[in-house]
Amino acid sequence: SLHIQAVMMDDLCCAKVNIKTTDEDDVRHFFGDYRLYINIESDCVTCNSSVVFRQLKTVNFLYQDRHGNWVLGPEVGKPRGLLRSNPKEGGNFECPCEVSSWQAWDSDNGWKDDQTIVVKKYKNYSKGY
């Protein structure tokens, strides 16, 4: 399985993505860089057959739920997080950088479209991320 993981690493779209907002007054804590989540054996950690990204400064993760939505939250695999890719725009995107529309969880109203979220890819893939 190590071999498969290594091949998968080379096939990946992004080793690192950046989540930001177009709203300068938005201070939600989950903005910043997310890197591929690698375990002690240097394997990619996966959730629902998709890679997981991890934010370093806070413990937030970016993972796919069982419906194929990218979810951002503090616990890998939880169906509800802080953000998710908008199911109306389709699912099972290989990488969060491909998602064009996001929703934020509002404790009063449930999932709400959030047009301010931008996920940016890093162009260079380097082994030393």
Side-chain angles (χ1 to χ4, degrees), residues 46-101:
T46 59
C47 179
N48 294 306
S49 305
S50 187
V51 294
V52 175
F53 291 83
R54 179 177 182 203
Q55 186 183 31
L56 298 181
K57 67 178 194 289
T58 65
V59 186
N60 279 320
F61 300 92
L62 201 47
Y63 56 90
Q64 272 201 22
D65 67 14
R66 60 192 179 89
H67 304 293
N69 304 308
W70 281 97
V71 176
L72 188 157
E75 220 177 309
V76 175
K78 273 272 169 37
R80 194 174 80 219
L82 307 163
L83 286 183
R84 75 171 178 187
S85 54
N86 190 339
K88 295 191 285 275
E89 303 284 323
N92 296 302
F93 290 105
E94 183 195 349
C95 185
C97 78
E98 299 170 352
V99 176
S100 57
S101 173

Side-chain angles (χ1 to χ4, degrees), residues 2-93:
L2 267 174
H3 179 66
I4 293 166
Q5 296 285 358
V7 170
M8 205 168 85
M9 294 270 294
D10 288 339
D11 290 344
L12 286 174
C13 177
C14 290
K16 185 165 80 166
V17 293
N18 178 269
I19 298 179
K20 58 187 178 125
T21 174
T22 54
D23 177 1
E24 289 164 16
D25 299 323
D26 191 338
V27 294
R28 285 178 286 181
H29 66 280
F30 53 73
F31 296 119
D33 290 347
Y34 285 73
R35 289 182 170 84
L36 269 183
Y37 188 24
I38 306 291
N39 69 12
I40 292 170
E41 285 89 36
S42 300
D43 293 336
C44 291
V45 175
T46 59
C47 179
N48 294 306
S49 305
S50 187
V51 294
V52 175
F53 291 83
R54 179 177 182 203
Q55 186 183 31
L56 298 181
K57 67 178 194 289
T58 65
V59 186
N60 279 320
F61 300 92
L62 201 47
Y63 56 90
Q64 272 201 22
D65 67 14
R66 60 192 179 89
H67 304 293
N69 304 308
W70 281 97
V71 176
L72 188 157
E75 220 177 309
V76 175
K78 273 272 169 37
R80 194 174 80 219
L82 307 163
L83 286 183
R84 75 171 178 187
S85 54
N86 190 339
K88 295 191 285 275
E89 303 284 323
N92 296 302
F93 290 105

Side-chain angles (χ1 to χ4, degrees), residues 28 82-88 101-117:
R28 285 178 286 181
L82 307 163
L83 286 183
R84 75 171 178 187
S85 54
N86 190 339
K88 295 191 285 275
S101 173
W102 292 86
Q103 294 181 324
W105 178 257
D106 177 324
S107 51
D108 298 325
N109 302 303
W111 291 108
K112 290 280 184 213
D113 293 1
D114 189 335
Q115 305 300 334
T116 69
I117 302 295

